[in-house]
DNA sequence: TCGTTCGCTACACACATGTATAGCGTACTA
DNA sequence: TAGTACGCTATACATGTGTGTAGCGAACGA
């Protein structure tokens, strides 16, 4: 799709994997059947089983493929000397955007491999929070929250496309949303006074509702 | 659950609705079968059909119920004179938290009623963005983004619970996450210079990749 | 050249799901 | 008191799903 790829990677096995990633990303893991995937890859469903054994095993394979491919792409970008926020850069490639959508679905449904990736994301988010000195008493929860929010965004792509009246899969929609996200990251939605008030309110919640 | 409720609302019909909302919230719309819902409500699946006609109709009923109930709760809170951010307050009630989780699932899967609720959320977000003078050129995208991120958070509750090692369904976990969210809303993740640089980078993306 | 592996298809099995229908008992009413 | 509407169950049907198996043809090595 993007960088060089082994020629024999256009085999049926690779086509199945690509079709699976696309359908999983579009419909969620449970929403894509093995027959749909096989048909999208232009093969029989038996061949899918022949190559991967089961739907779950196919998903595992897609997990490691998506992770490896993403890491590889990230390294290429870094090696290319483009030293801006990697989190933003990675998603500029259509292939990376697809893999990202897939990984979000996979993380949401919670496979071991995907959960491990989420853990790593949160670890990085926590490190970043501490390193940059964000004003929070709970860097881990802070990092986890921004990770989950970032990922959650992808799950509402359809709704966002409708509300913004632009296809978020297109470059135009993608750029428009990212401009907004930059603004979200660069602005503040609560004043320190408001934040303090809300923190106190939350503590009161903890005190007044010990039951449940 | 929370405020007063008509006594005859404990009928099988109501139990089905409550069970549906709970299972839909936990497993997603497609992930909860009518048989599971019926069993959770302690009735036969035939009765579910007798009362609601179809799974889709049941979902529609849950949509309007959740919406009405949320609006009602919000009004009660406002009438009670507690004038803090309603967005936060609403979710302090366990029932409201459940309904919120249900609505997130329903919006994600995109029923007409749920889509209308998302539209309204985005409208409010846009208004708020303009009214408070947030520094963005695209208030609608800004409002839509924060709505989607807020909702998306709920879809990763399991992952967040694992990573933070606390049950997000408990008051303790809920409070901890909300403290972090307040910090996210009160802090800035990008300096104006960084934001400006990224905005320029995004514009360059728009220029350099007209194909696709 | 023969045998074996391998990519691949067709088909079948068991099960879950949404939907549909027949029928039973009770409560209310004319 | 007879009839009827209603709440409710049991069961069946059609379909889609993941999985399993039998078998075919080509390629490749002994």
């Amino acid at each position: 799709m993007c960088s060089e790829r082994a020629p024999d990677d256009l085999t049926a096995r690779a086509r199945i994997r690509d079709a699976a990633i696309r359908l999983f990303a579009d419909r969620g893991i449970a929403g894509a059947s093995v027959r749909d995937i096989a048909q999208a890859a232009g093969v029989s469903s038996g061949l899918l089983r022949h190559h991967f054994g089961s739907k779950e095993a196919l998903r595992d394979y897609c997990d490691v493929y998506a992770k490896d491919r993403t890491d590889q792409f990230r390294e290429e970008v870094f090696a290319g000397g483009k030293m801006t926020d990697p989190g933003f850069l990675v998603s500029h490639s259509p292939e990376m955007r697809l893999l990202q959508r897939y990984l979000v679905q996979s993380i949401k449904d919670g496979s071991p491999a995907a959960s491990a990736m989420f853990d790593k994301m949160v670890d990085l988010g926590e490190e970043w929070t501490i390193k940059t000195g964000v004003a929070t008493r709970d860097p881990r929860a802070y990092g986890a929250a921004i990770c989950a929010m970032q990922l959650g965004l992808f799950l509402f792509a359809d709704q966002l496309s409708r509300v913004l009246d632009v296809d978020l899969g297109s470059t135009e929609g993608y750029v428009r949303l990212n401009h907004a996200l930059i603004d979200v990251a660069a602005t503040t939605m609560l004043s320190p006074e408001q934040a303090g008030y809300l923190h106190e309110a939350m503590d009161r919640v903890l005190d007044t509702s010990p039951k449940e």
Side-chain angles (χ1 to χ4, degrees), chain A residues 5 23 39 43-44 48 59 61 72 79 82 87 96 98 109 120 126 139 143 145 193 202-203 211:
Chain A
R5 168 174 297 185
L23 288 187
Q39 187 178 7
V43 301
S44 72
L48 189 151
R59 188 196 162 179
Y61 184 84
Q72 176 187 350
K82 310 189 177 184
M96 286 302 113
L98 173 62
D109 285 21
K120 193 177 174 187
E126 183 183 7
E193 297 77 30
M202 287 309 303
D203 285 334
K211 62 144 191 165

Side-chain angles (χ1 to χ4, degrees), chain A residues 76-132:
Chain A
E76 287 176 11
V77 168
F78 266 101
K82 310 189 177 184
M83 286 295 289
T84 39
D85 186 341
F88 275 99
L89 267 186
V90 162
S91 43
H92 289 174
S93 149
E95 183 196 1
M96 286 302 113
R97 273 193 264 170
L98 173 62
L99 292 183
Q100 209 158 343
R101 282 198 300 132
Y102 166 77
L103 287 172
V104 169
Q105 295 281 4
S106 192
I107 289 172
K108 182 178 82 69
D109 285 21
S111 74
S115 294
M117 293 195 61
F118 185 73
D119 287 10
K120 193 177 174 187
M121 279 187 57
V122 172
D123 288 343
L124 290 175
E126 183 183 7
E127 280 179 33
W128 177 89
T129 304
I130 296 175
K131 192 178 60 183
T132 59

Side-chain angles (χ1 to χ4, degrees), chain A residues 5 7 12 20 24 26 36 38 44 52 59 75-76 88-89 95 99 112 119 143 171 175-178 194 200:
Chain A
R5 168 174 297 185
F24 283 152
D26 284 346
D36 290 341
S44 72
F52 298 96
R59 188 196 162 179
E75 283 176 16
E76 287 176 11
F88 275 99
L89 267 186
E95 183 196 1
L99 292 183
D119 287 10
T171 300
V175 166
R176 182 176 174 199
L177 180 62
N178 271 279
Q194 288 172 318
E200 287 174 18

